[in-house]
Structure formats: structure tokens, C-alpha cells
Amino acid sequence: MEKKGAVLMEKYEVDKFLGQGAFAKVFRARNLETKKRVAIKVISREKVVKDGLVNQIKREITVMRMLKHPNIVQLYEVIPSRNKIYLVMEYAKGGELFRKILKGKLEEEVARNYFQQLITAVDFCHRRGVYHRDLKPENLLLDENGVLKVSDFGLSALAESKRQDGLLHTSCGTPCYTAPEVLCRKAYDGVKADIWSCGVILFALLAGELPFYDPNQTLMCRKICAAEYICPSWFPDEVKSLLSGILNPDPDKRILISEVMETCWSRDGLNYITTITEVELDADVGFDDRVNSENKELVDITSLS
Ligand code: ATP
């Protein structure tokens, strides 16, 4: 068979550039043996070390290895080479849910279905001590069957990173979807912060716009901290009540994920069979001067872009 793209480890043929994040490029590829499509995230070691992101990448890998769920992008394998780290992941052909919202609000049943899948995945993460901390429609991908896949665990936190008070102390995430207590740089509970983001996503799915927005970031943060939003009158009553429970600026009064799951807006999503892979607490990707000698001949697929 004639080869169309660069080949990685004689195993993956790379054929398309999918996009670029802050420190990585993502390509589509095909497993030459199984013919299965995959997405390969190519991380530059040099950039990661220079930008002080080693721990962030290790955490992303550790977390992805821990999570095996139908609504979470699966990490198949990590291939370290001298200059790059390749994360071979499940390919989400349908792209970002964000693109769908850009076209306008979704039908109620469609929005409900995505929200159920999101809550199921987030609950799965929380039960394993993982907080995503950057939930937004750009990080929710769709596969070829429209199944939602949570991706981008680059800003996630593990329960071990909590201090003794059980709270997280790093401010991160995208302002529009960020909980007030995180914006105010207070110590916060990762579970409650993720639930807030799910509420903002629910609003955006149904309304086709954000609950809190202002071109002036300071004013937007003020709106978020006061939970100042207006539900369109046509939102179903159950959604209005669910949103008032989720978008409560006081995290102690915010609805629990177990309560969210009891509403019919997420109940049906509980039927997934889930498995968990073996937990590896520290991602060994050779940052500690170990380079897998078998990987020296890797083709530099980043030149494809
Ligand atoms: P950042 O990580 O800096 O927040 P980002 O989320 O855009 O930014 P990446 O996660 O590196 O960066 O993704 C880059 C692009 O590749 C995005 O457009 C994303 O939708 C796409 N992408 C990432 N993972 C997959 C995947 N598993 N399947 C299909 N497309 C993907």
C-alpha cells in the first residue's frame, strides 16, 4: 500500500493536521495494523521544559491513563522520543461541541443528551479524585456517532494536590466557564468548580449564548461572582431550577453532582458500563534523562503542518 503521510514507529500513518494548542500539535493518524483512526498529540520536550510545563504534562498523562470511560477521550499509548512526546489518543471525528453551539442553540433533546453525557463523565472523574478544571465546549469533542468525549486534561488536578484543608489553590480555566470562587483566587473545591462549569455549558447548549458575558473582562467577572444571568423564558422549568442550583455563587450552597444526576436532565446518562485501567500515579515519559532507544528513528511528523 502506498504511504500518504509520515509514519510513527512503523505503526501509525499520519495524514492530517487537526489543530494546535498552547504547547502541542494534534494530528489524525491511522493504526496501520488495525486500520483504526487515532489522534496523536505531539508535544515538544524543549518547549515543555522551557515553559516549566513538565509537571502539567505528567499530570495530563497520569490522569488520562486513569480514566477509561465512553465519554472521555481515551489515551491509547505514550511514545517518548528524544525531542518529542507522542500521546496516541482516541480520535473524535465530529470535532468540538463548541462548533455546534456557534451555529446557534440546540434542540432541547439534543442539549439534554449532551448534558447527560457530560455529567456522567464528570461524575466518573470526581469519583476517581480527578477535577478537570477547564470544562468548556471547546474541550468537549464528538466522535463519529455524536458521542460526547471530554478531552484536554492539561489543567486537571488530582485529589493529592489538595492541601490539608481539602481545597485546591491554583486559579485556572477559562473565565466565562469559571466558578466565582476560582476567579476570586480563593481556595476552592474542584468538584464544585467543575459543577459550575457544567451549568454554564448547559445554559450555552440551550441558549446558544453564554449566561455571563461582557466584552470588559472585569465586568464579566463581576457578573459571574454575583451569578447575574437571565434565563430565557422558554427554558424548561426544570432547567431553570437546575441552573439556579448549579449557578449559586456560594459553593457551599451549590447543588451536588449527585443531586444534578437525580434530575431527568441527567438521569438517563447513568447507564454506561465503565471500567478503570490500572492507576499509574507518576507518568514516566522519560523526562528524567531516559530516552527509549527504540524510538530514536521517529519521523518528525510535526513538519506536516
Ligand atoms: P490548549 O490545550 O492550549 O487549551 P487546545 O485545546 O486547542 O488548546 P489541544 O488539546 O492540543 O489544544 O488540541 C488542538 C486541536 O486538536 C483542537 O482543535 C482539538 O479540537 C483537536 N483535538 C484534540 N484532541 C483531539 C482528538 N482526540 N480527536 C480529534 N481532534 C482533537
Side-chain angles (χ1 to χ4, degrees), residues 1 4 12 24 40 46 55 64-65 75 95 121 123 160 164 193 204 206 208 211 220 225 227 234 238 264 291 297:
M1 194 181 82
K4 284 180 289 181
Y12 299 103
I40 302 183
E46 195 192 350
N55 284 337
M64 286 188 82
R65 278 181 175 158
L75 177 65
D123 179 59
E160 294 105 73
Q164 280 184 339
L206 271 175
M220 184 171 76
C225 292
W234 46 265
E238 199 183 359
C264 75
V291 176
E297 78 284 7

Side-chain angles (χ1 to χ4, degrees), residues 18-27 38-41 56 60 73-74 89-96 99 134 136 138-139 141-142 151-152 154-155:
L18 291 173
Q20 178 155 16
F23 59 84
K25 289 179 180 175
V26 181
F27 296 85
V38 294
I40 302 183
K41 190 165 186 169
Q56 181 177 318
E60 180 171 1
V73 168
Q74 201 187 327
M89 305 176 290
E90 180 177 3
Y91 172 56
K93 188 181 179 187
E96 299 170 7
R99 304 255 153 246
D134 195 20
K136 55 183 176 180
E138 293 90 323
N139 287 338
L141 305 180
L142 301 171
S151 81
D152 208 347
L155 288 180

